[in-house]
Amino acid sequence: MARGTQLKAIALLPAFALVGLTVACGAGGSGAGNVGSSSSAAPGTGSGDVGAVAKDDALAAMVPADVKSDGKIVVGQDQSYPPNEFVDGGKPAGFDVDLGTAIGQVLGVQMDFQNAAFDGIIPGIGAKKYELAMSSFSINAERLQSVDMISYYSAGTSLAVLKGNPDGLKVDDLCGKKVAVQKGTTQVEDLDKKNAACTGAGKPAIEVTQLQAQTDVNLALTAKRVQGELADSPVIDYAVKQTNGQLESVGTPYDTAPYGIVLPKNSGDFGKAVQGAIQKLIDSGAYKKILDKWGLNAAGAVTKSEINPAS
């Protein structure tokens, strides 16, 4: 993209699309961001200061020596999913970034957030490219076959449409509609099931557009290239707020499931250390401060973090 053209395009973008623009325009315009780049956490753009968190020596001692020997944990993350993870001022920001940073403080290590394409993160855990992943991953049986996941928040799927819902989209009837979704997410599987139901009933199929970055999904809707989008409920809520009346959500969130921090299979003490750090943040009130800072619905808060599968 030429510099002059880029500047003109930026002027036309809605406010929420500017959040994470580095991601949306990176990697040759694929929307994958500067895959492989890394950065330490920076303060987020939400209101409120969550403050520093004290180290817990007992939990820190449980982190494997080969993980903490360099003083950091390498975290895989797709930073195109505001308000959970995105790029602000060239640095990672968001709910997962603040919570991940606090977990690192409890464990006495720095969290090194590395930007990556969402569908390449879990394979990156298996290849030992990342030591941990924190990127709004819903816990499900398929993922638990290859990794351990530690719960820390619950979110459902929401539908967003243009203000006034001019195309009359319904959560339970998207047949024949144009719907955008991010690649590799649980919403892709959801649309596959909905499409099977449409065609099985003799109705027209959903025209699904899969894009690499959530910021591109949001932009596709505001640009009217699609009629609706499916994403996690916090992400839809944030997009609605940031578009100044361009979008609205339809219906209520469905298929609610916990988010999980991803660790290698049979993570042992490493998993126990991360779970213990999350629980400590919950019990101390630091967790709630982070939720409040990013405007996440308190209904999604967990009171007990759990390792999946249970050991």
Side-chain angles (χ1 to χ4, degrees), residues 159-300:
L159 169 66
V161 298
L162 295 170
K163 187 69 174 180
N165 196 9
D167 298 300
L169 273 68
K170 299 178 182 178
V171 169
D172 58 355
D173 185 8
L174 296 174
C175 303
K177 304 299 185 182
K178 298 178 181 179
V179 181
V181 67
Q182 185 184 19
K183 289 182 179 179
T185 62
T186 56
Q187 285 79 25
V188 174
E189 299 172 10
D190 180 37
L191 284 174
D192 287 342
K193 293 176 183 177
K194 291 182 185 300
N195 240 336
C198 289
T199 55
K203 296 181 179 180
I206 304 166
E207 187 176 327
V208 179
T209 297
Q210 294 188 45
L211 298 169
Q212 189 67 59
Q214 180 60 37
T215 42
D216 292 341
V217 174
N218 296 340
L219 187 56
L221 180 54
T222 57
K224 300 182 181 181
R225 295 195 296 270
V226 296
Q227 298 164 304
E229 65 167 292
L230 291 178
D232 288 357
S233 46
V235 173
I236 293 296
D237 290 345
Y238 189 80
V240 169
K241 291 175 184 176
Q242 294 298 310
T243 53
N244 298 318
Q246 292 185 70
L247 302 181
E248 66 179 54
S249 59
V250 174
T252 58
Y254 62 95
D255 288 348
T256 298
Y259 283 159
I261 291 175
V262 179
L263 292 174
K265 195 69 176 173
N266 302 316
S267 55
D269 282 349
F270 190 17
K272 293 176 183 177
V274 173
Q275 183 274 332
I278 297 170
Q279 194 62 51
K280 187 177 182 70
L281 295 169
I282 292 170
D283 295 342
S284 70
Y287 171 79
K288 183 180 184 301
K289 288 182 180 179
I290 296 171
L291 289 180
D292 291 346
K293 173 181 176 180
W294 291 103
L296 268 68
N297 193 327

Side-chain angles (χ1 to χ4, degrees), residues 75-98:
V75 182
Q77 191 173 72
D78 170 20
Q79 294 160 3
S80 73
Y81 214 58
N84 295 354
E85 46 270 326
F86 60 99
V87 176
D88 180 42
K91 294 184 178 181
F95 164 61
D96 279 350
V97 173
D98 280 354

